[in-house]
Amino acid sequence: MILINLLPHREAARKRRRDVFNISLGTAALVGGLIAGAIFLWYQTQISSQQGKNLMLTNEIKRLEVQIKDIASLEAEIAGLRARQQAVEDLQADRNIPVHLLTELVKQLPDGVYVSNMKQDNQLVTLTGVAQSNERVSELLRNLANNTPWFTKPELIEITAGSVALSAREQKRVSNFTIRVKLMRASEAEKAAQAAAAGGVVAAIPVAAVAAASASVKK
């Protein structure tokens, strides 16, 4: 006996495949939506957390800026106090500067050099005088530059030839000079003296070594 299926089985199979595809598509869309929602929520959580951290950092930065301003104002006040303290110390030290000026000037004047006028402007001292020769003026410049910590940077402003009447018939040629030199403060002179003493000790070491070596050679 021959059985013949007259029902539209192809259309039914196609419909079943279409339904399965639609169900799979809907399921995939649902799963994708859930995943996208979860990712979105995770990003929102991270963004909120980072915004909270940024807000905290902003508040800390503002607080630190206030502290920095306070520290800067304190440093400015400390610098002002130190400047005033240094000014007071300089004033106290400057009271003895005329004494050191005259004392050192007397020590450094070579024979045959006479100072006729002296003018002080702050730390600059201008000396005007008479010397027996140009060599005496050069010796004075060397003394002021090398032999005392109270003077520095001597500068010859002017030197001219002149004459001095020793008697009615006798005249002697002299050199009229003008020198400008910087007078050091007490603190500066003390530092210069210490540096010179240290240099002298360092220079004395090789000299002593050479002397000891010479003595051993002689033996």
Side-chain angles (χ1 to χ4, degrees):
M1 180 177 183
I2 300 174
L3 298 177
I4 299 174
N5 187 5
L6 298 176
L7 296 176
H9 63 91
R10 292 187 179 88
E11 288 78 3
R14 189 179 299 113
K15 184 176 182 300
R16 282 195 303 270
R17 288 194 300 270
R18 188 182 301 113
D19 292 339
V20 172
F21 176 75
N22 290 334
I23 291 172
S24 300
L25 185 62
T27 303
L30 179 61
V31 173
L34 291 175
I35 294 174
I39 294 174
F40 176 77
L41 292 176
W42 183 78
Y43 275 117
Q44 286 296 114
T45 303
Q46 294 295 321
I47 290 172
S48 300
S49 176
Q50 188 62 42
Q51 287 177 346
K53 293 179 181 178
N54 292 342
L55 181 61
M56 183 183 66
L57 289 175
T58 302
N59 295 332
E60 289 296 322
I61 289 172
K62 290 181 180 179
R63 185 174 64 84
L64 290 176
E65 286 178 349
V66 173
Q67 293 180 356
I68 290 172
K69 289 181 181 179
D70 295 339
I71 293 173
S73 62
L74 289 176
E75 289 179 349
E77 292 179 2
I78 292 173
L81 290 175
R82 287 178 178 174
R84 287 194 289 270
Q85 180 183 2
Q86 186 64 39
V88 172
E89 292 177 354
D90 290 340
L91 288 175
Q92 291 178 349
D94 289 348
R95 292 183 302 177
N96 298 325
I97 281 185
V99 177
H100 293 297
L101 170 61
L102 296 176
T103 302
E104 290 298 318
L105 190 59
V106 170
K107 290 181 181 179
Q108 304 307 325
L109 279 179
D111 294 334
V113 178
Y114 307 92
V115 175
S116 59
N117 188 18
M118 180 172 59
K119 179 181 178 182
Q120 181 180 356
D121 184 11
N122 291 328
Q123 289 182 257
L124 292 179
V125 179
T126 303
L127 304 175
T128 303
V130 180
Q132 292 180 352
S133 63
N134 294 343
E135 288 74 14
R136 300 291 186 179
V137 178
S138 300
E139 184 179 356
L140 174 60
L141 290 172
R142 287 193 298 270
N143 291 344
L144 295 177
N146 303 322
N147 295 345
T148 173
W150 289 97
F151 294 106
T152 183
K153 298 179 181 179
E155 180 183 2
L156 180 62
I157 304 301
E158 183 183 17
I159 184 168
T160 58
S163 59
V164 175
L166 299 179
S167 63
R169 296 183 179 181
E170 184 180 1
Q171 291 187 348
K172 185 175 183 180
R173 295 180 62 84
V174 294
S175 298
N176 300 314
F177 64 88
T178 301
I179 294 175
R180 183 184 295 122
V181 65
K182 182 180 178 182
L183 180 63
M184 305 289 283
R185 297 186 184 275
S187 58
E188 297 173 342
E190 183 178 357
K191 292 179 181 179
Q194 292 176 353
V201 171
V202 173
I205 293 176
V207 173
V210 171
S214 300
S216 62
V217 171
K218 290 179 180 179
K219 290 180 181 180

